[in-house]
Amino acid sequence: MTSTAPLQDTSTSLHGDTPVVAGGHGDFRLFGLATFLVADGMTFAGFFAAYLTFRAVNPLPEGGNYELELLLPTINTVVLIISSFTFHRAGKECRGGNLGASRLWLAITAALGAAFLAGQMVEYFSLPFSLTDNLFASTFYALTGFHGLHVTLGVICITIVALQTRAGGRISASDHFGLEAAELYWHFVDGIWVVLYGILYLL
Amino acid sequence: MTLANPSDFNGSLQPQGWLKYFSFSLDHKVIGLQYLVCGFIFYLIGGALAGVIRTELASPISDFVSRETYNEVLTLHGTVMIFLWIVPVVNGAFGNYLIPFYVGARDMAFPRLNAVAFWLIPPAGILLISSYFIAGAAAQSGWTAYPPLSLTTPAAGQVVWILSVLLLGGSSIFGGINFIATVLKLRRPGLKLMQLPMYCWAMLGTSILVVLSTPVLAGTLILLSFDIIAHTGFFNPALGGNVVVYQHLFWFYSHPAVYIMVLPAFGLVSEILPVHARKPLFGYTTMVYSIMAIVFLGLIVWAHHMFTSGTPPWMRLFFTIATSFIAVPTGIKFFNWLATLWGGKIALNSAMLFSCAFIVNFVFGGITGVALAQVPFDIHVHDTYFVVGHFHYIVYGGTVFVIFGSLYHWYPKFTGRMLNEDLGRLHFLLTFIGFNLCFAPQHWLGLNGMPRRVAEYDPAFTTLNQISSVGALLMAISTLPLLINVVLTAINGKVAGDNPWNALTPEWLTSSPPPVENWLGEAPLVTEPYGYGQKQEVTP
Ligand code: HEM
Ligand SMILES: [Cu+2]
């Protein structure tokens, strides 16, 4: 039956005067972000499935079997993986209270992300095929382009977070949701790239 | 989506009274009603479009609208009904209104995200419908937008269609994230998962489907728009592309979409039946497991829409078996509802009439569904009116009936006033008769070979089509008692009191309509939402 036992803090007090972050429930914004990333990952999964089916059932046109250049994308892969570690380092410094060091690592991470994008641009311009040449070409650009969009967004977020670590900014040793969110997102984008690299370049 | 300092948006800055329904409110109850009213407006629009379709089909020769217009109307009708009426209302409206009450919270987990999710809908809907005027032509390839048809019909309307569906998909995903976080993370301390009202479970299952499948549709439509705008050839056979891949990706969303429409309806019915039968919900645990089983099976059966698309035999076999299996958890739910009613003190009011009719309609739609899952039968009736009859028994006889039932059940909570029962019963009667007149004959039409999506047909099909059109007319008329009811009641309806049904779920343990933060004091801890018919039961 129904009981109304009094409880301490059950409210998320969203409409009161005191802004309470997530009441007595702990912070679940990262949980929300993770759920969103699952959704985002499903978009990639759909693209991957389409690409693999195309490869399996649609033979490439005569003379259209392009061997992708491996060197640049491999360097790019290494760059992204390193950037995951530098971001991790930035988070550690932030939680330890060294906002300056954190900012430096964030800057390095953003630079690595930008380097990745530059590498992708170079690759695009050196490829012998363009978007509408054939099915393989279209899927190649759609997949890498969609991922590149994610990296671009990530670099922007990292830059913003880095700016927020300055004195009086929104990020501190005790309150660093923005940084953790960006970090989760960045690891996700890196992970997707590793899968993408495997499917697109190695398979 | 941050929770910090939401008071900016509330209190003095927020318009009061009815004006608050036109603002960017963060209150889950306001957002829920915004979804409801907005969805209902689109229902009227979609219904008018259905009226055009049925008028055209009242005679075998195309004379009411041109064939192009017919295709546009058909496309808009399907899209509006699914993406702007059913999905937003059965998830967004009732979910937003009820879930915070059910988990004992003051609001959803992410109120701002919630408001954004709602406010994506009106622009998307206006965009969709205005494509008829601004782009010179609306999309013509049906709500499935199958290529190569969608690549060869006028491009502008199709692109606008894609854009609005993407916006609506985004809205749906934001909503889904919010429901998952609210049910899993925002429960009042002391409230266990297995003590939640069934609608919470239904929304949890639905939201899992939304989060896993909607993004795939979004990706697919992005590729389709590349094909249209940039002349890539993903789905264009003329350029070496593959249309069957589109179908796989499309149905990976759109089959689960059926459950995105109908699982919440299951949940709502599970709330309504126990209250008006004064009995506990039968088989709570099996109900929960069957929801999760439906979620899992719903995700792996999409290719039953593609039996005629050249799928290999092993695929047909797999998808036939997997699809037929869905009858098991669904059957469990069906018998649990019957057992809930069995021997109950049933009050046959409007809410209950609609809910019981739902059970009947849904069983019928479910049986034709199992039939369709069998390959030889499906090949016979594929793309005929049998399919149209089947899915309207599911989406209309299932979900729309539940939406109406829920309206009668929760209107007193929304407004503090009761809807008039006589008008409600009239509404029910017209809807029930109209619905069956409209959609039952379509099964025969299909079995006899009338194809769907046609503006002209063999005169041999005239009589059944005319019966169907009369049914549609009755359904159109049936909205009148509902509209009159809502307007009259708003002016001088009977005052409801806090808990007119003597219900036990938490939303009834506060005033009607509820205060801004849902309860004036502590949130009640309701661990037995279905404890009816036990010792100290009070009859209404
Ligand atoms: C108000 C009563 C309704 C009537 C009279 C009606 C009538 C029709 C008719 C005659 C068609 C054409 C079928 C064809 O030629 O393929 C159709 C299609 C469709 N209807 Fe309804 N309908 C109604 C309500 C709904 C509702 C509530 C939904 C909600 C999901 C809905 C969803 C659809 C869909 C998805 C299609 C398929 C469109 C397409 O094939 O592209 N309808 N309807
Ligand atoms: Cu299906």
Side-chain angles (χ1 to χ4, degrees):
Chain A
M1 287 269 81
T2 312
S3 72
T4 28
L7 261 179
Q8 277 312 301
D9 181 16
T10 61
S11 73
T12 48
S13 199
L14 294 164
H15 306 287
D17 297 322
T18 35
V20 177
V21 175
H25 291 278
D27 194 339
F28 41 74
R29 286 173 296 175
L30 276 178
F31 176 84
L33 178 64
T35 317
F36 176 77
L37 292 179
V38 170
D40 202 14
M42 285 306 291
T43 324
F44 278 104
F47 284 158
F48 291 160
Y51 171 79
L52 292 174
T53 323
F54 287 148
R55 291 241 5 208
V57 299
N58 290 56
L60 283 173
E62 272 310 307
N65 192 359
Y66 306 113
E67 273 298 320
L68 286 170
E69 181 61 59
L70 266 185
L71 181 63
L72 196 52
T74 309
I75 295 177
N76 255 351
T77 309
V78 175
V79 165
L80 266 199
I81 292 177
I82 294 177
S83 77
S84 253
F85 285 102
T86 55
F87 205 142
H88 183 70
R89 191 63 199 269
K92 228 166 143 180
E93 295 292 355
C94 175
R95 283 182 286 272
N98 307 321
L99 287 185
S102 178
R103 186 156 60 249
L104 182 65
W105 285 109
L106 283 170
I108 296 174
T109 312
L112 288 171
F116 173 90
L117 287 172
Q120 206 169 35
M121 279 300 129
V122 173
E123 187 192 11
Y124 277 11
F125 283 114
S126 65
L127 285 174
F129 51 84
S130 70
L131 178 67
T132 54
D133 274 10
N134 59 35
L135 196 53
F136 172 76
S138 302
T139 334
F140 172 84
Y141 282 109
L143 275 178
T144 52
F146 192 56
H147 182 267
L149 217 62
H150 278 73
V151 176
T152 313
L153 191 69
V155 171
I156 294 173
C157 288
I158 298 171
T159 313
I160 293 175
V161 170
L163 292 176
Q164 287 179 343
T165 55
R166 289 188 305 193
R170 289 180 63 167
I171 292 198
S172 66
S174 56
D175 179 12
H176 42 253
F177 165 72
L179 188 142
E180 298 205 313
E183 182 172 352
L184 185 62
Y185 174 78
W186 193 248
H187 292 323
F188 166 79
V189 171
D190 287 3
I192 292 283
W193 174 261
V194 174
V195 179
L196 200 157
Y197 174 77
I199 292 178
L200 212 56
Y201 292 92
L202 300 185
L203 210 69
Chain B
M1 78 193 214
T2 140
L3 290 175
N5 210 9
S7 46
D8 303 352
F9 279 95
N10 287 285
S12 54
L13 287 179
Q14 196 80 60
Q16 299 301 313
W18 59 272
L19 261 181
K20 67 172 176 266
Y21 294 99
F22 292 88
S23 69
F24 191 80
S25 175
L26 296 188
D27 184 338
H28 70 100
K29 300 182 288 299
V30 174
I31 296 176
L33 294 181
Q34 283 173 330
Y35 267 107
L36 185 65
V37 173
C38 176
F40 193 76
I41 293 172
F42 283 116
Y43 173 63
L44 294 181
I45 295 174
L49 294 164
V52 174
I53 298 177
R54 282 310 335 164
T55 312
E56 170 67 47
L57 295 180
S59 72
I61 305 300
S62 183
D63 47 12
F64 184 61
V65 290
S66 73
R67 292 174 188 188
E68 284 71 31
T69 313
Y70 182 84
N71 287 343
E72 292 176 350
V73 167
L74 184 70
T75 305
L76 280 182
H77 164 76
T79 316
V80 166
M81 286 298 196
I82 290 184
F83 294 112
L84 287 160
W85 154 242
I86 301 224
V87 173
V89 169
V90 84
N91 290 278
F94 292 103
N96 273 308
Y97 201 98
L98 297 175
I99 296 287
F101 282 109
Y102 285 178
V103 301
R106 308 258 178 219
D107 207 323
M108 296 285 287
F110 309 115
R112 215 165 291 185
L113 184 69
N114 204 20
V116 170
F118 168 71
W119 283 105
L120 283 172
I121 292 179
I126 293 170
L127 188 67
L128 178 75
I129 289 163
S130 62
S131 68
Y132 189 86
F133 307 100
I134 51 176
Q140 294 180 14
S141 48
W143 79 281
T144 51
Y146 272 10
L149 188 59
S150 48
L151 303 176
T152 51
T153 45
Q158 196 66 50
V159 172
V160 174
W161 182 90
I162 291 177
L163 194 62
S164 45
V165 174
L166 285 178
L167 288 173
L168 295 168
S171 157
S172 198
I173 293 174
F174 290 159
I177 292 172
N178 225 334
F179 288 126
I180 294 179
T182 307
V183 173
L184 290 184
K185 294 284 178 182
L186 205 59
R187 282 193 318 284
R188 177 195 198 286
L191 185 59
K192 298 193 188 67
L193 276 174
M194 289 309 258
Q195 295 167 338
L196 289 172
M198 195 52 61
Y199 184 58
C200 292
W201 284 103
M203 284 307 296
L204 184 63
T206 308
S207 304
I208 292 173
L209 286 176
V210 166
V211 165
L212 292 181
S213 66
T214 317
V216 177
L217 176 74
T220 315
L221 292 183
I222 289 172
L223 294 186
L224 183 66
S225 64
F226 276 152
D227 275 3
I228 298 175
I229 299 168
H231 303 288
T232 51
F234 298 109
F235 308 126
N236 190 346
L239 300 177
N242 190 325
V243 285
V244 177
V245 171
Y246 178 90
Q247 296 188 4
H248 276 294
L249 294 174
F250 177 83
W251 286 109
F252 184 79
Y253 165 75
S254 290
H255 181 78
V258 177
Y259 293 99
I260 293 170
M261 293 181 254
V262 97
L263 273 182
F266 287 179
L268 292 168
V269 160
S270 303
E271 301 307 331
I272 297 173
L273 295 181
V275 176
H276 300 282
R278 313 307 307 169
K279 280 196 53 204
L281 183 67
F282 186 88
Y284 180 96
T285 322
T286 51
M287 289 289 233
V288 171
Y289 288 134
S290 58
I291 287 176
M292 291 308 157
I294 290 174
V295 168
F296 172 71
L297 290 170
L299 279 169
I300 60 164
V301 300
W302 72 89
H304 60 215
H305 296 271
M306 300 168 59
F307 287 150
T308 57
S309 306
T311 39
W314 69 264
M315 228 188 225
R316 293 174 169 188
L317 189 62
F318 172 81
F319 284 101
T320 289
I321 295 174
T323 306
S324 306
F325 261 124
I326 296 195
V328 176
T330 316
I332 291 175
K333 299 193 79 73
F334 168 73
F335 286 113
N336 281 343
W337 288 322
L338 286 194
T340 305
L341 293 176
W342 194 267
K345 259 199 240 147
I346 297 178
L348 266 189
N349 49 30
S350 310
M352 203 58 168
L353 285 172
F354 274 108
S355 304
C356 294
F358 151 84
I359 299 181
V360 175
N361 298 337
F362 193 81
V363 165
F364 190 72
I367 289 172
T368 54
V370 176
L372 282 170
Q374 315 309 313
V375 178
F377 183 75
D378 179 74
I379 289 176
H380 179 62
V381 297
H382 181 74
D383 264 342
T384 69
Y385 257 85
F386 189 91
V387 175
V388 181
H390 154 70
F391 76 66
H392 280 90
Y393 264 80
I394 301 288
V395 291
Y396 199 100
T399 310
V400 179
F401 270 65
V402 172
I403 292 176
F404 288 146
S406 304
L407 188 68
Y408 288 95
H409 183 73
W410 277 289
Y411 189 84
K413 185 47 64 180
F414 297 162
T415 63
R417 290 174 188 276
M418 307 292 284
L419 282 172
N420 179 299
E421 270 300 319
D422 293 332
L423 281 171
R425 291 204 176 97
L426 179 64
H427 173 213
F428 169 75
L429 215 63
L430 286 172
T431 314
F432 189 71
I433 298 174
F435 163 77
N436 282 295
L437 264 189
C438 182
F439 295 112
Q442 298 185 355
H443 294 89
W444 279 278
L445 283 172
L447 286 172
N448 291 333
M450 175 170 162
R452 66 192 279 206
R453 298 192 183 176
V454 289
E456 294 183 2
Y457 52 84
D458 190 315
F461 299 128
T462 311
T463 317
L464 284 174
N465 266 302
Q466 283 172 347
I467 297 176
S468 180
S469 293
V470 170
L473 183 65
L474 273 184
M475 287 159 88
I477 296 174
S478 78
T479 43
L480 288 180
L482 175 64
L483 285 171
I484 295 172
N485 204 348
V486 170
V487 172
L488 284 188
T489 317
I491 300 168
N492 64 352
K494 192 172 126 218
V495 174
D498 293 349
N499 191 355
W501 313 122
N502 263 315
L504 296 175
T505 38
E507 79 276 26
W508 299 104
L509 307 179
T510 184
S511 64
S512 301
V516 176
E517 290 196 335
N518 294 353
W519 293 279
L520 288 177
E522 291 293 336
L525 178 62
V526 178
T527 53
E528 266 186 67
Y530 303 115
Y532 300 103
Q534 295 170 354
K535 292 142 247 148
Q536 68 284 55
E537 165 74 307
V538 239
T539 3

